[in-house]
Amino acid sequence: MCCKHAPYSTEIAARRAYSSAMSAKSKPTPKTQPQTDWKRVVELVQCSRAMDAIEEQHLVPAKKIFYQFSARGHDMAQVLLGLHLTHPKDAICGYYRSRPILLSLGVALEDALGSAMGRAGGYSDGRDIGVVFNYPNANGASALPMCGGVGAQYTPTAGYAQAIEYHKNVLGDRAYDGAISVVLGGDASVATNGFWAALTMATTLKLPMLFYVEDNGYGISTPGWLQTPGCNIAANLASFQGLKVLDGDGADPEEAAYLIREAVSHTRAGRGPVLLHLAVPRLQGHSFQDTQAYKSKATVEAEWARDPLPKLKAHVVPSLLSAADWEALEAAAKERVERAARIADQRPVSEPTQVTRFVFSEDGVLQDEGGLWNTGYAAPRASTEPKPEGARINMITAIRRTLDHELAVNPRMVVFGEDVGPKGGVHGVTLGLQEKYGDGRVFDTSLSEEGIIGRAVGMAIAGLMPVPEIQFRKYADPACEQINDCGTMRWRTANRFAAPMVVRMPVGFFKCGDPWHSQTNEVQFVHAPGWRVACPSNAEDAVGLLRTALRGNDPVMFLEHRNMLDAASARRPYPGDDFALPFGVAKRVREGGDISVIAWGAMVERCEAAAEKAGISADIIDLRTLAPWDSEAVLASVRRTHRCFIVHEDIGTAGFGAEIAAVVADQAFLDLDAPVVRLTMPDIPSPHHPDLMEWALPSVERIAAKMQDLVRF
């Protein structure tokens, strides 16, 4: 019934009729329904209202809060939901209008208000806006770190739900029995890729996940008919396989309480995912600055007529509380909030010099939640000295053998991605691993890179070591939001949460090129704070760096160059099951005194061949990792040879070679006898035909010629 011509009240009536039809056969009588602590509901809703009021009337005008989002209208149903999340392994992930559910989980009022003010402590130590929350909760359900992007909360929540099943079914941890994963989103968010990726995961895998969609009819100013056909995602998904759908009025206390109980009990009983769609009014603008001029007077009046607060009062007074009790709870909530605001206002701004901390993990300061190290995991003994075993093997075999060993010694490690199971990956790296470890630990995923990385985030927060594969570098683009959010998690939560993982990703050219399978663009990941980036050029280094990454406490982008996977020059004997290399330590692969050559990945091989061809005494440095990168080794080499030549496969403009050149110019300028020179791809995608590709790539001949020119300078 909902369309762009239908009045808001007609839409609500249609939803309620749909809800009644869906639940009429199974709805129990009030006597058989579990009891709701309505007094607690009133207390929390009144606190939420008082917080909105003090922010709008005092803190925003005083410029003590810069971003403010009212939860009026959404508050009652959120509180009802939050009071059901009592399992210590439950988790939720919300969005910018989800503060009421945080209050129901036990977040201190002064922390919530202090976070809104950007003060020290709270959710982020002032690093993130106050409505972007997180809550590591040792006494109950945790609130996973939410993100600023709409819809970004869905796939990590699905990953956490899958981790619940992994803990129960693979690790045999009965502490997770009955735990659920809950995601909150507005009606506009159901148009995002993340929503559909998470829905696919939850339904195909029968995950204990509750999708809680609170529909206020608008995405900022965009009406629902432009977001969802028919304005009702529940009606559209009524026949979706493997999904229980509930729909109703989130402003009606009895109906909302019943539907929330139904949704939670269904999910907690292990009967699969639930989508609960509740219509709620948004009683203020999208944010404090939003005047809602796009709404008619009649629409605004219809929304206020649906305010759940008076409906809540009518539900509990006088049947459960007296009018005096109600007024006393309202006054107490106002007093508590005013006191909390004073406490929050007395908190200082965090020390600015500390804002650079926690981009990466720090020794002796473990995050509150997330990662292997929080589970008591102790890595086996490691050595930086290789112990060569047997014949030389290619990088494919070396990586597979490393994954195999780490799967064997770490039951919390999982390997997944598109086609990594029976097929063994499109490059054959995971061949045989599913057969050996089972499809609970090595498994295929649906075709959604956002879903792959997002699920890895949730798994990592739940204490697993996820090893997702992205088939080709270009395919990572749809996952960039999740990649960036994962990298910043530790920093933006001030070390409360982290999501260590290892993303395996083939990059670069092979027998031919093309714009879709042959991209490198490693600089994009280096420019994403919080990610460590490895780019080995041979089998031995691949083993050492991968093992360090798999046992570490930070997210790692592990780039496997396609041309080196089976290259003869990249073959090395297997260096042993305890071989691990530190990040940020370059390797001198050829000693010389005429020129310093800096490279990584497939270009290392070409630089060695070029030095041989040119007859030049070249000091060739293989960086091996780009984040962090070994600037000390580069500078030491340049100060010996007085010349610096950088070769990389990525395009020249803003490529990583520019960073190296800038550091050399800044810190070793007086040591140089010639300009710093780069040789890169031109600023074009990788051409497809081998002749065109080789023309674009730094070739052995061109590298050798540049070396000679620079030595003669």
Side-chain angles (χ1 to χ4, degrees):
M1 293 195 64
C2 172
C3 68
K4 64 179 179 178
H5 304 295
Y8 193 76
S9 57
T10 303
E11 177 186 337
I12 298 304
R15 289 174 177 169
R16 295 197 67 177
Y18 176 82
S19 172
S20 298
M22 292 287 288
S23 60
K25 294 184 179 180
S26 59
K27 187 170 181 178
T29 65
K31 290 183 179 179
T32 64
Q33 291 182 13
Q35 295 299 308
T36 297
D37 185 351
W38 287 106
K39 181 180 178 182
R40 184 62 176 152
V41 173
V42 172
E43 289 174 339
L44 292 170
V45 173
Q46 291 285 16
C47 280
S48 180
R49 292 293 174 110
M51 293 173 80
D52 284 339
I54 201 168
E55 288 177 340
E56 293 163 348
Q57 296 168 18
H58 300 288
L59 300 178
V60 172
K63 298 187 172 149
K64 293 181 178 180
I65 288 179
F66 310 108
Y67 287 91
Q68 196 271 343
F69 292 77
S70 171
R72 285 189 192 88
H74 292 234
D75 38 22
M76 183 191 69
Q78 279 191 31
V79 167
L80 286 167
L81 174 60
L83 292 178
H84 281 277
L85 303 180
T86 56
H87 194 294
K89 299 299 184 181
D90 285 348
I92 71 159
C93 194
Y95 68 117
Y96 46 78
R97 220 176 299 282
S98 300
R99 186 166 64 187
I101 201 169
L102 279 188
L103 302 182
S104 70
L105 297 183
V107 169
L109 300 182
E110 54 268 28
D111 282 347
L113 288 168
S115 297
M117 296 184 204
R119 303 300 177 86
Y123 307 145
S124 71
D125 226 20
R127 299 172 180 217
D128 206 345
I129 58 178
V131 295
V132 178
F133 62 77
N134 65 84
Y135 182 48
N137 186 6
N139 301 314
S142 291
L144 308 185
M146 67 160 287
C147 308
V150 174
Q153 68 271 31
Y154 286 105
T155 54
T157 314
Y160 189 94
Q162 189 170 356
I164 290 173
E165 294 298 284
Y166 188 91
H167 279 284
K168 293 189 301 184
N169 301 327
V170 178
L171 299 179
D173 188 347
R174 302 274 64 88
Y176 283 82
D177 287 350
I180 65 173
S181 185
V182 181
V183 63
L184 284 71
D187 50 296
S189 70
V190 304
T192 64
N193 292 340
F195 172 80
W196 293 100
L199 192 65
T200 298
M201 278 187 271
T203 50
T204 57
L205 300 176
K206 298 180 174 59
L207 299 180
M209 181 172 177
L210 170 56
F211 293 80
Y212 177 84
V213 179
E214 40 190 12
D215 186 348
N216 60 41
Y218 284 88
I220 306 184
S221 66
T222 304
W225 64 270
L226 280 172
Q227 303 281 356
T228 303
C231 304
N232 190 330
I233 191 65
N236 294 345
L237 293 174
S239 62
F240 207 86
Q241 292 293 307
L243 181 69
K244 182 177 178 65
V245 178
L246 297 169
D247 186 24
D249 186 357
D252 181 294
E254 184 177 7
E255 183 173 345
Y258 162 68
L259 290 172
I260 288 167
R261 283 195 296 267
E262 282 285 287
V264 172
S265 62
H266 181 94
T267 311
R268 209 178 284 291
R271 297 199 293 268
V274 175
L275 182 132
L276 173 58
H277 174 258
L278 294 180
V280 294
R282 193 187 76 195
L283 300 180
Q284 304 297 142
H286 168 72
S287 63
F288 184 79
Q289 293 78 13
D290 180 12
T291 63
Q292 300 197 94
Y294 45 85
K295 290 183 180 179
S296 69
K297 181 181 178 181
T299 296
V300 172
E301 289 175 350
E303 288 180 322
W304 275 100
R306 297 187 59 245
D307 183 358
L309 188 61
K311 294 176 183 293
L312 177 60
K313 183 176 182 180
H315 185 69
V316 300
V317 177
S319 59
L320 301 173
L321 300 172
S322 68
D325 291 335
W326 176 276
E327 291 172 3
L329 290 173
E330 184 178 20
K334 184 178 179 182
E335 182 181 346
R336 286 183 59 206
V337 168
E338 288 174 349
R339 182 170 62 251
R342 290 193 296 271
I343 294 171
D345 198 21
Q346 291 169 3
R347 291 180 174 179
V349 176
S350 61
E351 172 55 48
T353 58
Q354 297 297 299
V355 79
T356 55
R357 293 191 65 190
F358 303 126
V359 175
F360 296 105
S361 59
E362 298 180 9
D363 290 342
V365 191
L366 190 63
Q367 63 272 12
D368 293 333
E369 284 195 26
L372 278 177
W373 293 13
N374 255 323
T375 68
Y377 166 82
R381 182 179 61 88
S383 170
T384 58
E385 293 298 320
K387 298 174 183 176
E389 301 175 9
R392 289 160 58 94
I393 58 175
N394 63 17
M395 280 182 66
I396 292 174
T397 306
I399 294 169
R400 183 192 302 130
R401 188 165 174 180
T402 307
L403 292 172
D404 187 353
H405 179 263
E406 296 303 307
L407 280 164
V409 299
N410 180 9
R412 292 176 175 270
M413 177 174 152
V414 288
V415 176
F416 55 91
E418 297 160 17
D419 305 304
V420 305
K423 181 176 175 61
V426 294
H427 300 91
V429 174
T430 58
L431 191 64
L433 294 182
Q434 185 181 83
E435 183 179 1
K436 184 172 183 180
Y437 294 99
D439 58 10
R441 300 193 63 197
V442 180
F443 54 87
D444 290 326
T445 68
S446 56
L447 203 160
S448 170
E449 283 74 23
E450 177 175 359
I452 291 170
I453 301 300
R455 113 169 49 195
V457 170
M459 288 179 162
I461 293 174
L464 305 183
M465 171 47 77
V467 188
E469 177 184 299
I470 302 294
Q471 284 185 346
F472 298 95
R473 165 62 190 87
K474 182 67 175 65
Y475 294 3
D477 288 355
C480 281
E481 180 173 44
Q482 293 296 334
I483 289 170
N484 290 329
D485 291 346
C486 176
T488 62
M489 182 182 295
R490 184 189 300 277
W491 180 87
R492 61 188 163 86
T493 66
N495 205 40
R496 291 165 68 138
F497 281 91
M501 67 177 70
V502 180
V503 179
R504 294 181 39 254
M505 187 184 306
V507 300
F509 71 92
F510 186 37
K511 296 177 181 178
C512 60
D514 67 73
W516 318 111
H517 302 87
S518 304
Q519 185 174 327
T520 52
N521 193 21
E522 62 272 359
V523 73
Q524 181 169 334
F525 303 126
V526 178
H527 205 68
W531 280 93
R532 298 187 183 276
V533 180
C535 42
S537 65
N538 61 76
E540 180 181 291
D541 289 351
V543 170
L545 293 172
L546 181 57
R547 180 162 288 118
T548 296
L550 292 171
R551 297 178 179 182
N553 196 31
D554 288 300
V556 174
M557 199 65 64
F558 191 80
L559 307 180
E560 303 167 3
H561 200 287
R562 296 168 64 216
N563 202 55
M564 309 310 292
L565 287 175
D566 193 34
S569 66
R571 298 186 180 199
R572 302 286 190 278
Y574 183 70
D577 287 338
D578 62 350
F579 179 63
L581 287 173
F583 277 48
V585 179
K587 182 178 183 179
R588 182 186 293 169
V589 298
R590 187 183 180 100
E591 294 189 28
D594 293 340
I595 186 173
S596 297
V597 182
I598 318 302
W600 56 91
M603 291 299 107
V604 175
E605 173 191 50
R606 293 193 173 200
C607 288
E608 290 185 90
E612 195 72 33
K613 182 180 182 67
I616 286 176
S617 177
D619 206 42
I620 301 179
I621 305 297
D622 179 357
L623 287 183
R624 301 198 288 196
T625 67
L626 300 184
W629 69 283
D630 193 350
S631 59
E632 292 183 5
V634 171
L635 291 169
S637 177
V638 170
R639 286 168 180 147
R640 286 194 305 271
T641 69
H642 309 294
R643 288 171 172 80
C644 182
F645 179 35
I646 304 159
V647 183
H648 65 67
E649 180 181 341
D650 195 12
I651 65 175
T653 301
F656 193 70
E659 172 67 17
I660 300 170
V663 170
V664 170
D666 182 52
Q667 299 186 37
F669 180 77
L670 296 179
D671 296 290
L672 291 170
D673 289 342
V676 177
V677 173
R678 292 178 292 157
L679 183 62
T680 71
M681 284 262 290
D683 290 357
I684 59 172
S686 179
H688 178 52
H689 193 279
D691 291 351
L692 300 177
M693 180 191 74
E694 285 297 340
W695 179 90
L697 286 170
S699 65
V700 171
E701 291 73 21
R702 284 213 298 274
I703 295 170
K706 282 285 187 181
M707 285 182 181
Q708 292 171 331
D709 290 344
L710 197 55
V711 169
R712 287 195 297 262
F713 184 87

